Amino acid sequence: MPAEPSKKKTNYLNRSKKYYSEEKYKEVLIEFKNVLQIDPKYAEGYYQMALTYLKLQQPWQAYGSLLKTVELDPDRLDAQIAIGEILLIAHRIDASLKKAHLDMKRKGPGAAIDEYCVVLKDRSDDPDLYLRVGLAHLFNNEPLLGEESLKKALQLKPEIVKTRMALAGYYLKAKKYANARELVNKLIKKHPDFFAAYLVQEETARMTGDTAGAISAQRR
């Protein structure tokens, strides 16, 4: 008799752990793809695939797997932070955005929001601070407040690339694909070498069924 799906899934997971410990990352991916064929809503499988892609230095694929992780499990803070870190690595976005991610890792998004709001009383015209508040709200599962703060940051200083990317990432997660596309397309026109923008452009095209657009973004 063929093995039951749950048993096959366990076998694939066990093999993936073995291959990972042996640094056979291509084999790890094969096992996780087998797992996800059995259980396509297994968020942890997509997250582990993302970590494996990063080991193989393939940030495009890791980014897509992380987005799928968050889509299936919106409470996965580790996956959301990893998405931000990929964008940071992709174009060395500056220290203020790195600080926002560190604050949320160390204190949690709720405590970070409280701290930022106190500071905002004296720095209500600081776009970097609104950016941090917006990210913290998003990671705290408060999307409308997050979007409002990011828009305020963009209004105060429209040319800041990191703010446009943060807002585009939110729109992508919220399935507001037209908004995300508009932001990254404008960004790419001004900064054609900005790698991280193509990540969002590719995912937007993929999620809207624009295969040609996804392939075009990958080739950049």
Side-chain angles (χ1 to χ4, degrees):
M1 290 181 62
E4 295 180 4
S6 58
K7 187 173 181 179
K8 290 176 71 175
K9 177 180 173 181
T10 300
N11 290 339
Y12 291 141
L13 288 171
N14 288 338
R15 283 206 294 268
S16 72
K17 292 176 183 176
K18 174 179 177 293
Y19 288 138
Y20 196 93
S21 67
E22 297 170 352
E23 299 185 1
K24 296 179 178 178
Y25 300 122
K26 291 182 180 180
E27 286 81 357
V28 173
L29 289 177
I30 292 171
E31 299 303 330
F32 273 114
K33 286 176 182 178
N34 289 333
V35 168
L36 292 169
Q37 283 187 333
I38 295 172
D39 185 359
K41 294 188 177 181
Y42 182 51
E44 181 65 21
Y46 284 101
Y47 182 70
Q48 293 300 327
M49 278 185 69
L51 298 183
T52 306
Y53 278 127
L54 290 176
K55 287 288 187 182
L56 291 169
Q57 298 184 357
Q58 297 179 17
W60 290 96
Q61 290 85 346
Y63 185 80
S65 295
L66 288 167
L67 287 174
K68 188 66 177 178
T69 303
V70 173
E71 178 187 330
L72 292 170
D73 186 357
D75 295 328
R76 285 294 297 257
L77 182 61
D78 52 356
Q80 293 184 40
I81 288 175
I83 289 170
E85 288 175 342
I86 285 179
L87 297 179
L88 291 173
I89 292 167
H91 205 264
R92 300 192 182 114
I93 298 176
D94 72 14
S96 65
L97 195 48
K98 291 181 182 179
K99 185 181 185 307
H101 284 280
L102 288 173
D103 284 346
M104 283 181 279
K105 274 185 171 181
R106 292 170 183 165
K107 306 171 187 177
I113 291 167
D114 292 340
E115 181 179 305
Y116 295 153
C117 286
V118 171
V119 179
L120 267 176
K121 291 178 182 179
D122 297 319
R123 291 165 54 187
S124 59
D125 59 348
D126 187 339
D128 281 346
L129 199 50
Y130 277 104
L131 170 60
R132 295 180 205 172
V133 173
L135 289 172
H137 277 305
L138 293 180
F139 289 148
N140 205 36
N141 199 27
E142 297 169 328
L144 295 181
L145 291 173
E147 181 182 7
E148 181 183 345
S149 293
L150 292 176
K151 283 182 173 180
K152 180 65 175 179
L154 199 59
Q155 179 185 348
L156 287 169
K157 204 165 184 180
E159 69 272 18
I160 295 183
V161 170
K162 62 193 174 187
T163 308
R164 287 188 175 276
M165 284 301 298
L167 189 54
Y170 159 69
Y171 284 141
L172 189 61
K173 182 184 172 187
K175 299 183 180 179
K176 297 180 179 180
Y177 301 123
N179 300 71
R181 186 185 300 112
E182 181 182 359
L183 279 172
V184 295
N185 286 350
K186 287 181 178 178
L187 188 56
I188 288 168
K189 284 183 180 179
K190 281 194 171 184
H191 304 278
D193 296 326
F194 188 66
F195 169 72
Y198 291 103
L199 292 173
V200 178
Q201 187 186 59
E202 179 199 356
E203 185 63 15
T204 302
R206 188 176 70 81
M207 295 302 291
T208 55
D210 182 6
T211 305
I215 293 171
S216 176
Q218 285 183 351
R219 287 174 177 170
R220 299 287 179 151

